[in-house]
Every structure is written in structure tokens, then in C-alpha cells.
Amino acid sequence: MREEQKKGRVVALLPIGIFLVLFLGVGVVSGDFYAMPAIVGFLIALFVAFMQNPKLNFEEKMKVIAAGIGDENIITMSLIFLCAGGFSGAVTAAGGVESAVNLGLSIIPAPIAVVGLFIIGCFISVSMGTSMGTIAALAPIALGISEKTGFALAICIGAVVCGAMFGDNLSMISDTTIAAVKTQGCDMKDKFKANFLIVLPAAILTAVLFWLITRNGNFQITGSLPFSIWKVIPYLLVLVGALIGINVFVVLIGGTVVSLIVGIATGSIELMKAFSVVGDGVTSMYDITVISIIVACIVSLVREYGGIEFILTQIKGRIKGKTGGQLGIAFLALFVDLCTANNTVAIVIAGPIAKEISDEFEIDAKRSASLLDIFTSVGQGVIPYGAQLLSAATLTGLTPFDIIPYLYYPILMGVSTILFIVFWKQN
């Protein structure tokens, strides 16, 4: 390694800076933080990276990014994204989402309907691995409960968003979990166990808070809530399989096959459309897969130019020991998510830096993966320009600022994690 790389070079971070300026700038000017597709911003950043460092010719730079793309974690992460998409497409087409929601509403007592929305949101999001899908599935139900109970719609949809962020952070088929564990080099089940223990107090307290503010209400479910336990089985198989340590590819492919069998057997999926529903699910993951590859290219060049070393030098000069290292990872993850408004992209960007910090301060990989996932979810769960709140607002006619006062879980998740960092010391 060249001496200038050992010292680090701030100019090497220019591509990342260009992306953030473009992404945030277009969002502020247009009022829409999704006006510029993230992939366009990253391609511009990659072009800037190629224009830097004339000491390396084009062929040498291509070798650098090829090595970055060829990293085992990047390849594995991309394949898992595609498998997770296939499962999501199959289980949704089979009617698993509707059955899981109706099953939950049938079991949960009516007087705690809003708490039930949060709990159902937790289950659905853990099972589906997507906060956006959970919000889309539960928003109409939240609207109905609000109308029948008189509770503010913002409270009901707030419970939905809180539940959605629970699973976005924890689900083993969530793209955030996949990105976190692959960038940090740990097993999903280990990250799940460590992560679950950290956020459980926040989830319990969130349920208590929703009960306190709605305890005087009443809600009687009218009409039928049809569900099929068979359609819920694929979710349970994936969840249990991942928890007991079965290879994630086996779990996802097995869940996809079972979903297709259930869908065809119950008439939800036509035999000749079985492949197309899986294909649609896989296609839905193309964006994040391509973004992950482009980001790997950018990070490879930034590292080669000394950018990663510069960040590490700055962080090391301001933190001490494991506690400081963990707080550094937490701040890094939160900051990048606030800038990108996409927690998966934020993890892909911050992951390599977090890995360097965890190695330097001997932080367990499962803890660093948890911190990455948690604090990007904290940011994503409360920013008014994030896809989750924008989607929830659009589906219900509210504004993100109407919902924010009831987003207890993301805030409590951050507080709980900081307390764990400070008081739960790792050997």
C-alpha cells in the first residue's frame, strides 16, 4: 500500500460527496427526495471516481472495481436479494399476506386493536422482509380501525409504520439484514439473536404506549376475516428455518417452492403463471442488486485512493475502546441513512467502513451488523422524506408530519441500543 493511502486522503471521498450533494440537492429543490433515482446518482459518482487519481490508468482501475465486485460477500448478497424477491413474489401471489393479516386480526382482542396493528405489523414485516409491503398491506386496515374507533388515523398508521420498521430491521429476508450480515461477515441467525435482544425492550414499551393512548377506545370487527392457515405456512417455514440455522438459500428457495405449491393447490396461482409470479418478485429486487454492485465499484476505488483510511483515521482519533467504536458505527449508519433516505443503500455504503472499525476495536461482527441495521432503521423510520413515511402518508391522506409524533418504536429502538452499547459490555 502506498504511503499516501496509509495516511488517507480526503479527496478520495469526492465521489461519495458528489452523490450526496446531487441526491440531497435535487430532493430539496424539487421537494421530492426520489426525484433522482439513486442508481443515476451512483453512476455519476462512479464516473467521478474514474476521473480521479491519474496515477492509475483505466485498465488498472477496472481491475480494482472487478476485485470489489468479485468479493464473496457482494456476490452472495446479490444472489440472496434475488432469492428473497422470488419468495416474496410467490408468497404474495399465493395470498399469504392477506391470510396473515386476517389471522392476526382474528386472534387479537378488539379492545386492543391499535396495539394489535403494531403486533401484526411486526409479524408481517418479519415474515415478508419489507416495511413497504407491510405498510401497503395494513394501511387500509388502519384506516378502517380509525373510522370505527374514533382514534386519530395518525395513531393507527403510526402503529403500522412502527411494526413495519420492526421487521425491516429484524427479518432474515430483509434486504437490510442481508446487506448488514454480508458486509460484516456474520451468520444471519447470530445477528438476529443479538439484534432481537437489543430491540425487544423498545418493542414492548412501544406496545405499552399504544395501549395507554388507546385504552379507553372500543372496536368491534364487523364482516368476515377469511384466512387460510396453509397460506401462512410458507412464512413460518422461512422464519423457523432461518432461526435454526438452515442455509439461507435453502430456506428461501424452499419457501418459494412451498408458496407455489400452496398457491396452486388453493387456486390462488394458476399453474402456468407460477414462474411469472416468481419472476416478478425477482425483478422487483433488480434495483437494489444493481445499486449494490455499483456501490461496490465506488467503494473499491475510494478505498484504493485512501478514502476509507481517511475516515478510519478521523474516527479513531475521536473514539476509544469498544464503546466508542460502537457509537462510531451507530453515528455513521444514522448519518448515511439521513443523507440517502434508503437504509439498504446506507448499509451498503457504510458497511465496509463499519467492518474496518469493528476489526480495529475487536467488536463482534454480529454486534456491528446489528448496529448498522438498527441505526439505519432508526433514521429511515422517522425521516419525513423516507419512502416509508411518504408511502404511509400517500395511502391515508395524511402528511408525514402527522404521523411522526406516534413513531415510538424507531426512537425507542435507538435509545435501547445506546443503553446496550454503554452498559452491556462485550468481552
Side-chain angles (χ1 to χ4, degrees), residues 105-116:
L105 288 175
S106 300
I107 295 174
I108 295 173
I112 58 170
V114 175
V115 177

Side-chain angles (χ1 to χ4, degrees), residues 238-298:
V238 168
L239 183 61
V240 173
L243 281 175
I244 62 178
I246 299 176
N247 181 276
V248 64
F249 288 108
V250 174
V251 169
L252 290 174
I253 293 172
T256 302
V257 172
V258 172
S259 297
L260 292 175
I261 293 174
V262 169
I264 293 171
T266 58
S268 299
I269 300 175
E270 296 180 19
L271 180 61
M272 299 308 296
K273 292 186 178 180
F275 293 110
S276 64
V277 299
V278 175
D280 291 341
V282 172
T283 302
S284 70
M285 300 297 281
Y286 281 0
D287 283 353
I288 188 59
T289 303
V290 174
I291 285 174
S292 298
I293 293 172
I294 299 301
V295 170
C297 296
I298 296 170

Side-chain angles (χ1 to χ4, degrees), residues 321-368:
K322 290 185 177 180
T323 298
Q326 291 174 79
L327 290 173
I329 292 173
F331 173 79
L332 173 69
L334 179 60
F335 174 74
V336 177
D337 184 76
L338 294 178
C339 292
T340 60
N342 185 307
N343 44 345
T344 306
V345 171
I347 291 172
V348 173
I349 294 174
I353 302 173
K355 177 61 175 172
E356 297 277 0
I357 296 173
S358 63
D359 289 343
E360 173 71 19
F361 294 97
E362 298 182 343
I363 300 168
D364 284 350
K366 61 185 178 184
R367 177 68 77 94
S368 62

Side-chain angles (χ1 to χ4, degrees), residues 105-166:
L105 288 175
S106 300
I107 295 174
I108 295 173
I112 58 170
V114 175
V115 177
L117 272 176
F118 170 63
I119 295 173
I120 294 171
C122 292
F123 173 76
I124 296 297
S125 57
V126 168
S127 302
M128 292 177 65
T130 166
S131 55
M132 295 295 291
T134 301
I135 292 170
L138 293 183
I141 296 174
L143 184 61
I145 289 178
S146 174
E147 291 174 348
K148 294 178 181 179
T149 62
F151 290 130
L153 177 56
I155 295 176
C156 297
I157 197 64
V160 170
V161 175
C162 286
M165 296 315 299
F166 177 87

Side-chain angles (χ1 to χ4, degrees), residues 127 218 347 420 423:
S127 302
N218 189 27
I347 291 172
F420 265 77
F423 295 108

